[in-house]
PDB file of all heavy atoms in Angstrom:
ATOM      1  N   MET A   1    -140.867 -34.299 -20.908  1.00 70.00           N
ATOM      2  CA  MET A   1    -140.717 -33.560 -19.651  1.00 70.00           C
ATOM      3  C   MET A   1    -139.245 -33.209 -19.431  1.00 70.00           C
ATOM      4  O   MET A   1    -138.366 -34.013 -19.692  1.00 70.00           O
ATOM      5  CB  MET A   1    -141.241 -34.443 -18.520  1.00 70.00           C
ATOM      6  CG  MET A   1    -141.459 -33.730 -17.203  1.00 70.00           C
ATOM      7  SD  MET A   1    -142.694 -32.444 -17.343  1.00 70.00           S
ATOM      8  CE  MET A   1    -142.261 -31.422 -15.971  1.00 70.00           C
ATOM      9  N   ALA A   2    -139.033 -32.012 -19.022  1.00 80.00           N
ATOM     10  CA  ALA A   2    -137.644 -31.568 -18.809  1.00 80.00           C
ATOM     11  C   ALA A   2    -136.968 -32.404 -17.729  1.00 80.00           C
ATOM     12  O   ALA A   2    -137.602 -32.778 -16.749  1.00 80.00           O
ATOM     13  CB  ALA A   2    -137.634 -30.100 -18.405  1.00 80.00           C
ATOM     14  N   PHE A   3    -135.706 -32.684 -17.952  1.00 86.00           N
ATOM     15  CA  PHE A   3    -134.948 -33.425 -16.944  1.00 86.00           C
ATOM     16  C   PHE A   3    -134.535 -32.441 -15.847  1.00 86.00           C
ATOM     17  O   PHE A   3    -134.104 -31.333 -16.125  1.00 86.00           O
ATOM     18  CB  PHE A   3    -133.710 -34.059 -17.588  1.00 86.00           C
ATOM     19  CG  PHE A   3    -132.939 -34.923 -16.640  1.00 86.00           C
ATOM     20  CD1 PHE A   3    -133.233 -36.265 -16.520  1.00 86.00           C
ATOM     21  CD2 PHE A   3    -131.928 -34.383 -15.852  1.00 86.00           C
ATOM     22  CE1 PHE A   3    -132.524 -37.062 -15.635  1.00 86.00           C
ATOM     23  CE2 PHE A   3    -131.229 -35.166 -14.965  1.00 86.00           C
ATOM     24  CZ  PHE A   3    -131.524 -36.517 -14.849  1.00 86.00           C
ATOM     25  N   ASP A   6    -131.243 -29.748 -11.708  1.00 91.00           N
ATOM     26  CA  ASP A   6    -130.984 -28.934 -10.515  1.00 91.00           C
ATOM     27  C   ASP A   6    -130.715 -29.747  -9.260  1.00 91.00           C
ATOM     28  O   ASP A   6    -129.937 -29.344  -8.410  1.00 91.00           O
ATOM     29  CB  ASP A   6    -132.155 -27.973 -10.268  1.00 91.00           C
ATOM     30  CG  ASP A   6    -132.236 -26.924 -11.362  1.00 91.00           C
ATOM     31  OD1 ASP A   6    -131.223 -26.746 -12.061  1.00 91.00           O
ATOM     32  OD2 ASP A   6    -133.297 -26.309 -11.534  1.00 91.00           O
ATOM     33  N   HIS A  16    -121.497 -21.875 -15.497  1.00 92.00           N
ATOM     34  CA  HIS A  16    -120.165 -22.458 -15.335  1.00 92.00           C
ATOM     35  C   HIS A  16    -119.117 -21.658 -16.108  1.00 92.00           C
ATOM     36  O   HIS A  16    -119.445 -20.768 -16.879  1.00 92.00           O
ATOM     37  CB  HIS A  16    -120.184 -23.931 -15.727  1.00 92.00           C
ATOM     38  CG  HIS A  16    -120.759 -24.217 -17.085  1.00 92.00           C
ATOM     39  ND1 HIS A  16    -120.256 -23.647 -18.221  1.00 92.00           N
ATOM     40  CD2 HIS A  16    -121.790 -25.001 -17.481  1.00 92.00           C
ATOM     41  CE1 HIS A  16    -120.945 -24.086 -19.253  1.00 92.00           C
ATOM     42  NE2 HIS A  16    -121.902 -24.894 -18.830  1.00 92.00           N
ATOM     43  N   TRP A  18    -117.064 -22.618 -18.472  1.00 94.00           N
ATOM     44  CA  TRP A  18    -116.688 -23.038 -19.820  1.00 94.00           C
ATOM     45  C   TRP A  18    -117.150 -22.042 -20.882  1.00 94.00           C
ATOM     46  O   TRP A  18    -118.177 -21.387 -20.739  1.00 94.00           O
ATOM     47  CB  TRP A  18    -117.236 -24.441 -20.093  1.00 94.00           C
ATOM     48  CG  TRP A  18    -116.670 -25.451 -19.150  1.00 94.00           C
ATOM     49  CD1 TRP A  18    -115.346 -25.583 -18.809  1.00 94.00           C
ATOM     50  CD2 TRP A  18    -117.380 -26.441 -18.389  1.00 94.00           C
ATOM     51  NE1 TRP A  18    -115.204 -26.602 -17.896  1.00 94.00           N
ATOM     52  CE2 TRP A  18    -116.422 -27.144 -17.629  1.00 94.00           C
ATOM     53  CE3 TRP A  18    -118.706 -26.807 -18.304  1.00 94.00           C
ATOM     54  CZ2 TRP A  18    -116.763 -28.189 -16.785  1.00 94.00           C
ATOM     55  CZ3 TRP A  18    -119.052 -27.847 -17.462  1.00 94.00           C
ATOM     56  CH2 TRP A  18    -118.084 -28.531 -16.711  1.00 94.00           C
ATOM     57  N   PRO A  20    -118.474 -20.297 -24.456  1.00 92.00           N
ATOM     58  CA  PRO A  20    -119.683 -20.553 -25.239  1.00 92.00           C
ATOM     59  C   PRO A  20    -119.444 -21.677 -26.252  1.00 92.00           C
ATOM     60  O   PRO A  20    -118.471 -21.648 -26.991  1.00 92.00           O
ATOM     61  CB  PRO A  20    -119.920 -19.239 -25.972  1.00 92.00           C
ATOM     62  CG  PRO A  20    -119.217 -18.215 -25.172  1.00 92.00           C
ATOM     63  CD  PRO A  20    -118.052 -18.893 -24.520  1.00 92.00           C
ATOM     64  N   GLY A  21    -120.300 -22.694 -26.220  1.00 91.00           N
ATOM     65  CA  GLY A  21    -120.199 -23.781 -27.188  1.00 91.00           C
ATOM     66  C   GLY A  21    -119.283 -24.917 -26.779  1.00 91.00           C
ATOM     67  O   GLY A  21    -119.160 -25.906 -27.494  1.00 91.00           O
ATOM     68  N   CYS A  22    -118.622 -24.805 -25.632  1.00 93.00           N
ATOM     69  CA  CYS A  22    -117.736 -25.879 -25.167  1.00 93.00           C
ATOM     70  C   CYS A  22    -118.578 -27.110 -24.813  1.00 93.00           C
ATOM     71  O   CYS A  22    -119.597 -26.997 -24.138  1.00 93.00           O
ATOM     72  CB  CYS A  22    -116.952 -25.422 -23.954  1.00 93.00           C
ATOM     73  SG  CYS A  22    -116.034 -26.746 -23.160  1.00 93.00           S
ATOM     74  N   GLY A  25    -120.012 -28.954 -20.986  1.00 94.00           N
ATOM     75  CA  GLY A  25    -121.326 -28.838 -20.355  1.00 94.00           C
ATOM     76  C   GLY A  25    -122.249 -29.974 -20.795  1.00 94.00           C
ATOM     77  O   GLY A  25    -123.030 -30.495 -19.997  1.00 94.00           O
ATOM     78  N   ILE A  26    -122.132 -30.368 -22.067  1.00 94.00           N
ATOM     79  CA  ILE A  26    -122.959 -31.452 -22.598  1.00 94.00           C
ATOM     80  C   ILE A  26    -122.563 -32.767 -21.922  1.00 94.00           C
ATOM     81  O   ILE A  26    -123.413 -33.580 -21.571  1.00 94.00           O
ATOM     82  CB  ILE A  26    -122.799 -31.539 -24.136  1.00 94.00           C
ATOM     83  CG1 ILE A  26    -123.209 -30.204 -24.768  1.00 94.00           C
ATOM     84  CG2 ILE A  26    -123.617 -32.678 -24.710  1.00 94.00           C
ATOM     85  CD1 ILE A  26    -122.935 -30.082 -26.247  1.00 94.00           C
ATOM     86  N   MET A  28    -121.179 -33.017 -18.949  1.00 95.00           N
ATOM     87  CA  MET A  28    -121.624 -32.946 -17.546  1.00 95.00           C
ATOM     88  C   MET A  28    -123.102 -33.326 -17.441  1.00 95.00           C
ATOM     89  O   MET A  28    -123.505 -34.048 -16.528  1.00 95.00           O
ATOM     90  CB  MET A  28    -121.394 -31.549 -16.970  1.00 95.00           C
ATOM     91  CG  MET A  28    -121.883 -31.399 -15.539  1.00 95.00           C
ATOM     92  SD  MET A  28    -121.047 -30.131 -14.620  1.00 95.00           S
ATOM     93  CE  MET A  28    -121.986 -28.704 -15.036  1.00 95.00           C
ATOM     94  N   LYS A  29    -123.898 -32.856 -18.393  1.00 94.00           N
ATOM     95  CA  LYS A  29    -125.318 -33.221 -18.387  1.00 94.00           C
ATOM     96  C   LYS A  29    -125.481 -34.723 -18.569  1.00 94.00           C
ATOM     97  O   LYS A  29    -126.316 -35.348 -17.912  1.00 94.00           O
ATOM     98  CB  LYS A  29    -126.055 -32.475 -19.510  1.00 94.00           C
ATOM     99  CG  LYS A  29    -126.314 -31.019 -19.187  1.00 94.00           C
ATOM    100  CD  LYS A  29    -126.848 -30.319 -20.393  1.00 94.00           C
ATOM    101  CE  LYS A  29    -128.230 -29.769 -20.146  1.00 94.00           C
ATOM    102  NZ  LYS A  29    -128.683 -28.906 -21.252  1.00 94.00           N
ATOM    103  N   ARG A  33    -127.272 -37.322 -15.991  1.00 94.00           N
ATOM    104  CA  ARG A  33    -128.357 -38.225 -16.386  1.00 94.00           C
ATOM    105  C   ARG A  33    -128.000 -39.676 -16.074  1.00 94.00           C
ATOM    106  O   ARG A  33    -128.835 -40.447 -15.611  1.00 94.00           O
ATOM    107  CB  ARG A  33    -128.676 -38.070 -17.879  1.00 94.00           C
ATOM    108  CG  ARG A  33    -129.360 -36.768 -18.240  1.00 94.00           C
ATOM    109  CD  ARG A  33    -130.012 -36.860 -19.612  1.00 94.00           C
ATOM    110  NE  ARG A  33    -129.079 -37.202 -20.670  1.00 94.00           N
ATOM    111  CZ  ARG A  33    -128.285 -36.341 -21.282  1.00 94.00           C
ATOM    112  NH1 ARG A  33    -128.308 -35.064 -20.961  1.00 94.00           N
ATOM    113  NH2 ARG A  33    -127.449 -36.728 -22.237  1.00 94.00           N
ATOM    114  N   PHE A 175    -121.347 -34.347 -29.800  1.00 94.00           N
ATOM    115  CA  PHE A 175    -122.487 -34.186 -30.705  1.00 94.00           C
ATOM    116  C   PHE A 175    -123.567 -35.212 -30.390  1.00 94.00           C
ATOM    117  O   PHE A 175    -124.753 -34.908 -30.381  1.00 94.00           O
ATOM    118  CB  PHE A 175    -122.048 -34.328 -32.166  1.00 94.00           C
ATOM    119  CG  PHE A 175    -123.215 -34.288 -33.117  1.00 94.00           C
ATOM    120  CD1 PHE A 175    -123.759 -33.080 -33.504  1.00 94.00           C
ATOM    121  CD2 PHE A 175    -123.815 -35.459 -33.576  1.00 94.00           C
ATOM    122  CE1 PHE A 175    -124.865 -33.031 -34.332  1.00 94.00           C
ATOM    123  CE2 PHE A 175    -124.914 -35.419 -34.405  1.00 94.00           C
ATOM    124  CZ  PHE A 175    -125.438 -34.195 -34.786  1.00 94.00           C
ATOM    125  N   ILE A 216    -120.736 -24.694 -34.409  1.00 93.00           N
ATOM    126  CA  ILE A 216    -121.594 -25.596 -35.174  1.00 93.00           C
ATOM    127  C   ILE A 216    -120.760 -26.436 -36.133  1.00 93.00           C
ATOM    128  O   ILE A 216    -120.977 -27.633 -36.286  1.00 93.00           O
ATOM    129  CB  ILE A 216    -122.664 -24.784 -35.960  1.00 93.00           C
ATOM    130  CG1 ILE A 216    -123.357 -23.761 -35.052  1.00 93.00           C
ATOM    131  CG2 ILE A 216    -123.659 -25.685 -36.655  1.00 93.00           C
ATOM    132  CD1 ILE A 216    -124.016 -24.324 -33.818  1.00 93.00           C
TER     133      ILE A 216
ATOM    134  N   TYR B  14    -127.866 -17.846 -17.738  1.00 93.00           N
ATOM    135  CA  TYR B  14    -126.938 -18.947 -18.042  1.00 93.00           C
ATOM    136  C   TYR B  14    -126.530 -18.995 -19.517  1.00 93.00           C
ATOM    137  O   TYR B  14    -125.498 -19.548 -19.855  1.00 93.00           O
ATOM    138  CB  TYR B  14    -127.565 -20.302 -17.679  1.00 93.00           C
ATOM    139  CG  TYR B  14    -127.888 -20.515 -16.226  1.00 93.00           C
ATOM    140  CD1 TYR B  14    -128.708 -21.561 -15.818  1.00 93.00           C
ATOM    141  CD2 TYR B  14    -127.352 -19.676 -15.243  1.00 93.00           C
ATOM    142  CE1 TYR B  14    -129.004 -21.763 -14.476  1.00 93.00           C
ATOM    143  CE2 TYR B  14    -127.652 -19.872 -13.909  1.00 93.00           C
ATOM    144  CZ  TYR B  14    -128.481 -20.913 -13.523  1.00 93.00           C
ATOM    145  OH  TYR B  14    -128.771 -21.120 -12.210  1.00 93.00           O
ATOM    146  N   LYS B  16    -124.999 -18.460 -23.034  1.00 93.00           N
ATOM    147  CA  LYS B  16    -123.769 -17.805 -23.480  1.00 93.00           C
ATOM    148  C   LYS B  16    -123.806 -17.496 -24.975  1.00 93.00           C
ATOM    149  O   LYS B  16    -122.790 -17.123 -25.572  1.00 93.00           O
ATOM    150  CB  LYS B  16    -122.572 -18.678 -23.143  1.00 93.00           C
ATOM    151  CG  LYS B  16    -122.293 -18.723 -21.642  1.00 93.00           C
ATOM    152  CD  LYS B  16    -121.157 -19.648 -21.302  1.00 93.00           C
ATOM    153  CE  LYS B  16    -121.009 -19.757 -19.798  1.00 93.00           C
ATOM    154  NZ  LYS B  16    -120.313 -20.985 -19.418  1.00 93.00           N
ATOM    155  N   CYS B  18    -124.198 -19.491 -27.761  1.00 91.00           N
ATOM    156  CA  CYS B  18    -123.333 -20.327 -28.605  1.00 91.00           C
ATOM    157  C   CYS B  18    -124.012 -20.799 -29.884  1.00 91.00           C
ATOM    158  O   CYS B  18    -123.380 -21.421 -30.723  1.00 91.00           O
ATOM    159  CB  CYS B  18    -122.820 -21.529 -27.818  1.00 91.00           C
ATOM    160  SG  CYS B  18    -124.096 -22.748 -27.439  1.00 91.00           S
ATOM    161  N   HIS B  19    -125.286 -20.561 -30.041  1.00 92.00           N
ATOM    162  CA  HIS B  19    -126.061 -20.918 -31.255  1.00 92.00           C
ATOM    163  C   HIS B  19    -126.395 -22.405 -31.380  1.00 92.00           C
ATOM    164  O   HIS B  19    -127.006 -22.798 -32.367  1.00 92.00           O
ATOM    165  CB  HIS B  19    -125.340 -20.504 -32.552  1.00 92.00           C
ATOM    166  CG  HIS B  19    -125.260 -19.023 -32.763  1.00 92.00           C
ATOM    167  ND1 HIS B  19    -125.805 -18.417 -33.863  1.00 92.00           N
ATOM    168  CD2 HIS B  19    -124.701 -18.042 -32.033  1.00 92.00           C
ATOM    169  CE1 HIS B  19    -125.567 -17.123 -33.793  1.00 92.00           C
ATOM    170  NE2 HIS B  19    -124.899 -16.870 -32.690  1.00 92.00           N
ATOM    171  N   GLU B  23    -129.197 -23.868 -34.107  1.00 92.00           N
ATOM    172  CA  GLU B  23    -128.767 -24.644 -35.272  1.00 92.00           C
ATOM    173  C   GLU B  23    -129.310 -26.064 -35.274  1.00 92.00           C
ATOM    174  O   GLU B  23    -129.595 -26.615 -36.322  1.00 92.00           O
ATOM    175  CB  GLU B  23    -127.230 -24.701 -35.325  1.00 92.00           C
ATOM    176  CG  GLU B  23    -126.577 -23.366 -35.605  1.00 92.00           C
ATOM    177  CD  GLU B  23    -126.834 -22.856 -37.023  1.00 92.00           C
ATOM    178  OE1 GLU B  23    -126.989 -23.681 -37.935  1.00 92.00           O
ATOM    179  OE2 GLU B  23    -126.893 -21.627 -37.191  1.00 92.00           O
ATOM    180  N   PHE B  24    -129.395 -26.689 -34.101  1.00 93.00           N
ATOM    181  CA  PHE B  24    -129.781 -28.102 -34.071  1.00 93.00           C
ATOM    182  C   PHE B  24    -131.265 -28.327 -33.811  1.00 93.00           C
ATOM    183  O   PHE B  24    -131.702 -29.461 -33.694  1.00 93.00           O
ATOM    184  CB  PHE B  24    -128.903 -28.886 -33.084  1.00 93.00           C
ATOM    185  CG  PHE B  24    -127.472 -28.988 -33.546  1.00 93.00           C
ATOM    186  CD1 PHE B  24    -126.458 -28.334 -32.885  1.00 93.00           C
ATOM    187  CD2 PHE B  24    -127.166 -29.727 -34.674  1.00 93.00           C
ATOM    188  CE1 PHE B  24    -125.141 -28.411 -33.336  1.00 93.00           C
ATOM    189  CE2 PHE B  24    -125.856 -29.820 -35.145  1.00 93.00           C
ATOM    190  CZ  PHE B  24    -124.839 -29.155 -34.463  1.00 93.00           C
ATOM    191  N   MET B  49    -136.894 -32.060 -27.486  1.00 90.00           N
ATOM    192  CA  MET B  49    -135.915 -31.852 -26.413  1.00 90.00           C
ATOM    193  C   MET B  49    -134.456 -31.741 -26.902  1.00 90.00           C
ATOM    194  O   MET B  49    -133.548 -31.799 -26.095  1.00 90.00           O
ATOM    195  CB  MET B  49    -135.974 -32.978 -25.365  1.00 90.00           C
ATOM    196  CG  MET B  49    -137.331 -33.182 -24.760  1.00 90.00           C
ATOM    197  SD  MET B  49    -137.611 -31.935 -23.519  1.00 90.00           S
ATOM    198  CE  MET B  49    -139.168 -32.452 -22.885  1.00 90.00           C
ATOM    199  N   GLU B  52    -132.761 -28.742 -25.281  1.00 92.00           N
ATOM    200  CA  GLU B  52    -132.457 -28.941 -23.869  1.00 92.00           C
ATOM    201  C   GLU B  52    -131.288 -29.908 -23.690  1.00 92.00           C
ATOM    202  O   GLU B  52    -130.390 -29.698 -22.887  1.00 92.00           O
ATOM    203  CB  GLU B  52    -133.696 -29.480 -23.132  1.00 92.00           C
ATOM    204  CG  GLU B  52    -133.521 -29.434 -21.633  1.00 92.00           C
ATOM    205  CD  GLU B  52    -134.531 -30.294 -20.893  1.00 92.00           C
ATOM    206  OE1 GLU B  52    -135.695 -29.909 -20.846  1.00 92.00           O
ATOM    207  OE2 GLU B  52    -134.120 -31.333 -20.362  1.00 92.00           O
ATOM    208  N   LEU B  53    -131.298 -30.964 -24.515  1.00 92.00           N
ATOM    209  CA  LEU B  53    -130.253 -31.985 -24.444  1.00 92.00           C
ATOM    210  C   LEU B  53    -128.887 -31.421 -24.807  1.00 92.00           C
ATOM    211  O   LEU B  53    -127.881 -31.729 -24.182  1.00 92.00           O
ATOM    212  CB  LEU B  53    -130.624 -33.119 -25.404  1.00 92.00           C
ATOM    213  CG  LEU B  53    -129.702 -34.324 -25.478  1.00 92.00           C
ATOM    214  CD1 LEU B  53    -129.905 -35.188 -24.253  1.00 92.00           C
ATOM    215  CD2 LEU B  53    -129.982 -35.128 -26.730  1.00 92.00           C
ATOM    216  N   ARG B  54    -128.856 -30.575 -25.834  1.00 93.00           N
ATOM    217  CA  ARG B  54    -127.579 -30.101 -26.359  1.00 93.00           C
ATOM    218  C   ARG B  54    -127.066 -28.829 -25.701  1.00 93.00           C
ATOM    219  O   ARG B  54    -125.889 -28.510 -25.838  1.00 93.00           O
ATOM    220  CB  ARG B  54    -127.701 -29.850 -27.870  1.00 93.00           C
ATOM    221  CG  ARG B  54    -127.909 -31.128 -28.638  1.00 93.00           C
ATOM    222  CD  ARG B  54    -127.924 -30.879 -30.123  1.00 93.00           C
ATOM    223  NE  ARG B  54    -128.312 -32.093 -30.819  1.00 93.00           N
ATOM    224  CZ  ARG B  54    -127.496 -33.114 -31.020  1.00 93.00           C
ATOM    225  NH1 ARG B  54    -126.254 -33.040 -30.634  1.00 93.00           N
ATOM    226  NH2 ARG B  54    -127.917 -34.193 -31.624  1.00 93.00           N
ATOM    227  N   CYS B  55    -127.897 -28.084 -25.038  1.00 93.00           N
ATOM    228  CA  CYS B  55    -127.443 -26.823 -24.439  1.00 93.00           C
ATOM    229  C   CYS B  55    -126.341 -27.096 -23.415  1.00 93.00           C
ATOM    230  O   CYS B  55    -126.587 -27.749 -22.408  1.00 93.00           O
ATOM    231  CB  CYS B  55    -128.589 -26.097 -23.753  1.00 93.00           C
ATOM    232  SG  CYS B  55    -128.008 -24.624 -22.881  1.00 93.00           S
ATOM    233  N   PRO B  56    -125.112 -26.615 -23.651  1.00 93.00           N
ATOM    234  CA  PRO B  56    -124.032 -26.919 -22.713  1.00 93.00           C
ATOM    235  C   PRO B  56    -124.145 -26.113 -21.414  1.00 93.00           C
ATOM    236  O   PRO B  56    -123.423 -26.373 -20.472  1.00 93.00           O
ATOM    237  CB  PRO B  56    -122.767 -26.516 -23.472  1.00 93.00           C
ATOM    238  CG  PRO B  56    -123.199 -26.061 -24.822  1.00 93.00           C
ATOM    239  CD  PRO B  56    -124.651 -25.793 -24.774  1.00 93.00           C
ATOM    240  N   ASP B  57    -125.034 -25.135 -21.401  1.00 93.00           N
ATOM    241  CA  ASP B  57    -125.056 -24.180 -20.291  1.00 93.00           C
ATOM    242  C   ASP B  57    -126.265 -24.300 -19.374  1.00 93.00           C
ATOM    243  O   ASP B  57    -126.535 -23.387 -18.601  1.00 93.00           O
ATOM    244  CB  ASP B  57    -124.960 -22.757 -20.860  1.00 93.00           C
ATOM    245  CG  ASP B  57    -123.670 -22.559 -21.611  1.00 93.00           C
ATOM    246  OD1 ASP B  57    -122.619 -22.712 -20.979  1.00 93.00           O
ATOM    247  OD2 ASP B  57    -123.700 -22.280 -22.816  1.00 93.00           O
ATOM    248  N   PHE B  58    -127.019 -25.382 -19.487  1.00 93.00           N
ATOM    249  CA  PHE B  58    -128.182 -25.613 -18.624  1.00 93.00           C
ATOM    250  C   PHE B  58    -129.201 -24.477 -18.738  1.00 93.00           C
ATOM    251  O   PHE B  58    -129.885 -24.146 -17.790  1.00 93.00           O
ATOM    252  CB  PHE B  58    -127.764 -25.783 -17.152  1.00 93.00           C
ATOM    253  CG  PHE B  58    -126.889 -26.971 -16.899  1.00 93.00           C
ATOM    254  CD1 PHE B  58    -125.526 -26.933 -17.175  1.00 93.00           C
ATOM    255  CD2 PHE B  58    -127.416 -28.143 -16.383  1.00 93.00           C
ATOM    256  CE1 PHE B  58    -124.720 -28.046 -16.947  1.00 93.00           C
ATOM    257  CE2 PHE B  58    -126.619 -29.250 -16.145  1.00 93.00           C
ATOM    258  CZ  PHE B  58    -125.262 -29.205 -16.426  1.00 93.00           C
ATOM    259  N   LYS B  61    -135.055 -25.118 -20.705  1.00 92.00           N
ATOM    260  CA  LYS B  61    -135.904 -26.147 -20.118  1.00 92.00           C
ATOM    261  C   LYS B  61    -137.179 -26.224 -20.943  1.00 92.00           C
ATOM    262  O   LYS B  61    -137.848 -25.214 -21.138  1.00 92.00           O
ATOM    263  CB  LYS B  61    -136.254 -25.791 -18.666  1.00 92.00           C
ATOM    264  CG  LYS B  61    -135.144 -26.145 -17.702  1.00 92.00           C
ATOM    265  CD  LYS B  61    -135.489 -25.748 -16.294  1.00 92.00           C
ATOM    266  CE  LYS B  61    -134.289 -25.958 -15.393  1.00 92.00           C
ATOM    267  NZ  LYS B  61    -134.412 -25.273 -14.127  1.00 92.00           N
ATOM    268  N   VAL B  62    -137.480 -27.426 -21.430  1.00 92.00           N
ATOM    269  CA  VAL B  62    -138.707 -27.609 -22.193  1.00 92.00           C
ATOM    270  C   VAL B  62    -139.672 -28.440 -21.343  1.00 92.00           C
ATOM    271  O   VAL B  62    -139.329 -29.550 -20.938  1.00 92.00           O
ATOM    272  CB  VAL B  62    -138.439 -28.333 -23.529  1.00 92.00           C
ATOM    273  CG1 VAL B  62    -139.715 -28.456 -24.345  1.00 92.00           C
ATOM    274  CG2 VAL B  62    -137.380 -27.606 -24.327  1.00 92.00           C
TER     275      VAL B  62
END
Side-chain angles (χ1 to χ4, degrees):
Chain A
M1 193 62 202
F3 184 90
D6 292 342
H16 52 57
W18 298 314
C22 171
I26 301 172
M28 178 155 86
K29 284 172 119 171
R33 289 197 302 278
F175 175 81
I216 312 303
Chain B
Y14 297 166
K16 289 177 185 158
C18 70
H19 291 239
E23 293 291 330
F24 292 112
M49 304 281 184
E52 192 196 288
L53 182 75
R54 293 184 188 282
C55 175
D57 299 300
F58 297 80
K61 279 178 187 164
V62 183

